[in-house]
Amino acid sequence: MIKRQTTINRIFRISGIGLHSGREVNLEFLPRREFGIAFVMGGKIIPARYDMVGDTRLSTQISAEGAAVSTIEHLMAAFYFSGITNCLIYIDGPEVPILDGSAWEFYQGMWKAGVYEFPETGVYLKVLRPVEVNHNDAWVRVKPLNMLDITMTIDFRPPVGKQKKRVTDVENAFAIINSRTFVLQEEIEAIRKVGLAKGGSLDNAVVVGSEEIMNPHGLRYKKELVNHKILDLIGDLYTSGYRILGKVEANKTGHYLNNLLLKEIFSDPLNYSIY
Ligand SMILES: [Zn+2]
C-alpha cells in the first residue's frame, strides 16, 4: 500500500493503434514532480481528471485547451495498480492505444520503469458519507470504508448473462489488470457506422457471439467480462486524482455514471477527506 506521492523511475514508451480511430499512436511516459497525471499533446496539457471528462459514450475522453484524448480508462487503471500518482504522458494522437484490450502492457511498462517516491502525502480520498448516482436501472454508489472494496454486477444477453463479482483487496487483484474489453457481435456494425471501433479486432477485444465467444482462445478468465467492467471503474475512479477508500457497489455502470459519481462526491466537501 503506497502512502506518498510517486512517479516513474525512468522514461519509457508504448505504441499501438487506437480502438476507435484505428490510428497508430505513440506514448512517452515522463517522471513528474507535480501531483497528478496529465497528457501533453502538441504543447497543451490535459489533466487526466474527472472535471476534464467530456465524451463518455464508448470510452472516457478528457479535453482541455481545445485538445482531447480518449480511451484513457485502462491506462488510468494501470497507474492505480502501479501506485503511480504523478506522471506526464506525451501523446501524438487523439486516442490512447488499445493494445490487447486490457491494462496489462501499460502495467508492465510501469513495473519495469520502477517507482520513485516523494515525501509528500495526500494520495488518498476517504469517502465520509454515502454517495449514489443512477440512470435508468444502472447505478453506482460508495459508502465509507477504510479500504477500496468493489462489487460489480453486469447483465447482458446469453451467453454472458448476469455476472457478479466482488473484489475486496483491489490493490492486489491482478486478474483485473489483464481482463480485456468486450463487445456484443451485433453492436459492432452500429459502432462502425458512426465511425468508431476502426481499430477493433479479435486481437484487442473479446467479441461475444450469439452462442459463444468468437475469439479463438476464448476467455482469459471465466469472469473476464465483469472483471473488465471493474477495470474500467477503477480507471475512471482514478480520474478523481486520488486512491479512493470506500465500499463501491455498481450495477450495469459505465463511463458516464462513473464520472457522475466523482462529480457528486466532489460537489460537497463533507463527502470526503484527503490524506
Ligand atoms: Zn474498458
Side-chain angles (χ1 to χ4, degrees), residues 39-73:
F39 290 87
V40 184
M41 185 194 270
K44 292 170 176 171
I45 293 189
I46 316 168
R49 225 172 46 213
Y50 76 99
D51 53 341
M52 301 288 157
V53 170
D55 194 337
T56 50
R57 279 171 302 169
L58 288 169
S59 75
T60 297
Q61 185 192 63
I62 47 168
S63 58
E65 298 183 51
V69 178
S70 61
T71 323
I72 66 163
E73 57 272 17

Side-chain angles (χ1 to χ4, degrees), residues 19 58-59 71 73-74 98 101-102 179-182 228-229 231-233 255:
L19 174 64
L58 288 169
S59 75
T71 323
E73 57 272 17
H74 306 159
I98 188 66
S102 80
S179 286
R180 294 164 294 171
T181 194
F182 63 94
H228 186 81
K229 284 291 184 185
L231 179 76
D232 282 342
L233 177 60
H255 304 303

Side-chain angles (χ1 to χ4, degrees), residues 76-168:
M76 293 306 291
F79 278 120
Y80 175 83
F81 282 108
S82 302
I84 308 281
T85 62
N86 309 4
C87 191
L88 279 181
I89 309 128
Y90 282 74
I91 184 165
D92 65 357
E95 187 179 12
V96 173
I98 188 66
L99 306 173
D100 73 345
S102 80
W104 184 246
E105 195 176 330
F106 297 129
Y107 178 77
Q108 286 281 298
M110 292 167 196
W111 187 80
K112 283 180 198 156
V115 176
Y116 182 89
E117 196 176 89
F118 296 117
E120 290 86 355
T121 55
V123 301
Y124 285 97
L125 183 153
K126 188 169 161 54
V127 173
L128 302 178
R129 300 198 301 200
V131 177
E132 176 174 347
V133 292
N134 54 71
H135 181 72
N136 299 328
D137 62 341
W139 47 261
V140 55
R141 59 185 177 228
V142 59
K143 296 175 194 162
L145 187 73
N146 274 333
M147 59 190 294
L148 179 60
D149 177 319
I150 296 177
T151 303
M152 173 73 68
T153 307
I154 60 171
D155 193 359
F156 290 93
R157 62 147 174 83
V160 181
K162 196 167 180 169
Q163 291 184 19
K164 187 174 182 175
K165 177 146 176 172
R166 180 175 179 200
V167 183
T168 53

